């Protein structure tokens, strides 16, 4: 599973979301990638998926959710027990 977190430097919630997803990556096998929307790869994903807000979570190429969720919600979303 490939998980991409789209963040920006000006986003006050992004560091929290990033920390939670890094914790989830320790519990659920995934390829985790943090992308700044100001960088080329981040801009391409934002454009292709028409993402309007960050943090945005993309799982296997599809927008899964936006905003920061608690660890329990993230694990549930990933199907972890």
């Amino acid at each position: 599973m490939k998980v991409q977190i789209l963040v920006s430097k000006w986003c006050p919630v992004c560091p929290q979301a990033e920390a939670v997803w890094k914790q989830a990556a320790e519990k659920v096998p995934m390829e985790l990638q943090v992308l700044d929307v100001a960088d080329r790869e981040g801009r391409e994903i934002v454009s292709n998926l028409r993402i309007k807000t960050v943090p945005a979570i993309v799982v296997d190429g599809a927008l899964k959710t936006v905003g920061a969720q608690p660890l329990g919600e993230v694990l549930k979303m990933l199907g972890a027990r």
Side-chain angles (χ1 to χ4, degrees):
M1 171 183 347
K2 182 176 183 177
V3 176
Q4 296 166 305
I5 306 173
L6 294 151
V7 299
S8 74
K9 291 178 178 63
W10 49 262
C11 169
V13 179
C14 289
Q16 177 187 349
E18 189 176 330
V20 169
W21 280 90
K22 284 181 178 177
Q23 288 177 337
E26 294 173 3
K27 300 176 183 300
V28 177
M30 70 176 80
E31 177 189 337
L32 182 64
Q33 188 178 25
V34 179
L35 300 168
D36 192 306
V37 295
D39 296 334
R40 184 188 56 79
E41 190 174 0
R43 281 194 313 268
E44 286 177 4
I45 294 169
V46 165
S47 176
N48 290 342
L49 297 178
R50 297 186 176 138
I51 294 170
K52 303 272 188 244
T53 188
V54 291
I57 310 302
V58 176
V59 178
D60 293 332
L63 179 62
K64 188 75 167 177
T65 189
V66 296
Q69 295 79 27
L71 181 59
E73 282 293 311
V74 168
L75 294 174
K76 191 184 301 182
M77 190 183 315
L78 296 171
R81 301 205 184 284

